Amino acid sequence: MLFAFPELEFFSLTLQKEFRGVRRREGILLAGPSGWGEFSPFPNYAPIEDSLWLRAALESAFVPIEFPQNSSVAVNAIIGDNEDPYLGSARALNEFGCTTIKIKVGLDVDQDVERVQEIVRAFVEAGQLNKLLIRLDANGRWGIEQAINTIAELQSVPIEYIEQPCRSATQLRKLRKKLTVPIAVDETIRTDGQYQVSEFADLAIIKVSPLGGIDAVERLIEKLDVPVRFSSALESSVGLSSSLLAAHKFAPDQVAGLGTGMLLATDTVKQSAIPHGGRIRVAKCEPDPEQLARVPLSKTQQDLWRKRLAQAWQLIPESQLASWGVPKWSVQG
Ligand SMILES: [Mg+2]
């Protein structure tokens, strides 16, 4: 299959530290009349999931969506499995002004508790404990008992919510009867496609790129029966700009999980979408040629990504492409 698109840029970014098994973020930036879009689905994604991500990228490149003037979104910082929570929180607070900290949990009870306490220690030492809010994300790795035991140990800690403590709706339902801490669902929405969640969750996490873009997310929010919080999928700043816009549109007063730019060691743009004073400016991002030259993707990987893009493309209905004004000649197969 031959794939021709007016303008494609490939990138391979390095993360500061391995994050959930990921060390690099690769992908394609594509240009259209409305700017740039980012296609950077994770390596384990199936073509149908890739196609949702491509919808988000094409929407960003082809659909004119107005960005607000001088607006910003409050964001949380994030501490990965391989990051020292004390140092990570101190950096989040001092360098980026973030007082909401999200941390990945799901190890054993003692380790999870100890890591969360390290965040508290950083804020106590900085004299900022009264501002701290912690979000725990277990990615479904806790059992009911482990969740209860961990939360019991963390009673004095300001926990805002636990994200996907357990994997199944049945587990979540049981857990919710025993906990007072709010529960947010992420995988339940994104992977299981379940939207009536109020019986077992208080909040839903929305990720713009994997869910198919801003328009798709708007329709999804209408179907949900709980409030939402926005979060990133570890995109480069080009992808993050769509998520920031969506967060600004649909959850302007909430702290979004969009501070992931601080996990990147390299980026596709000159001015990365990272927080200043705990907030990130909402603005359309353009890739910078100099930056792109620093993050090249090997020829072999480019071919693989081209194939992946073409495969995802074929799963998007022609009527949808036409409605966005995406030229037909883009794919020749
Ligand atoms: Mg999550």
Side-chain angles (χ1 to χ4, degrees), residues 203-278:
L203 296 164
I205 305 296
I206 301 286
K207 294 177 176 166
V208 173
S209 306
L211 287 169
I214 295 174
D215 186 52
V217 152
E218 182 167 17
R219 281 178 279 120
L220 198 158
I221 291 172
E222 284 164 12
K223 282 193 245 168
L224 283 167
D225 59 356
V226 291
V228 297
R229 296 287 184 276
F230 280 82
S231 202
S232 95
L234 218 50
E235 297 97 329
S236 92
S237 288
V238 172
L240 275 177
S241 70
S242 295
S243 304
L244 286 160
L245 178 61
H248 178 264
K249 260 173 107 104
F250 306 122
D253 304 323
Q254 302 301 333
V255 175
L258 298 173
T260 50
M262 62 175 87
L263 300 175
L264 301 172
T266 49
D267 202 346
T268 51
V269 305
K270 205 175 263 175
Q271 294 237 308
S272 283
I274 50 172
H276 301 277

Side-chain angles (χ1 to χ4, degrees), residues 20 102 104 136-140 163-164 185-187 190 205 207 231-232:
R20 300 204 73 219
K102 172 169 166 174
K104 293 286 183 182
L136 308 178
D137 187 0
N139 290 102
E163 188 172 323
Q164 203 75 44
V185 281
D186 175 7
E187 285 84 351
R190 202 157 31 87
I205 305 296
K207 294 177 176 166
S231 202
S232 95

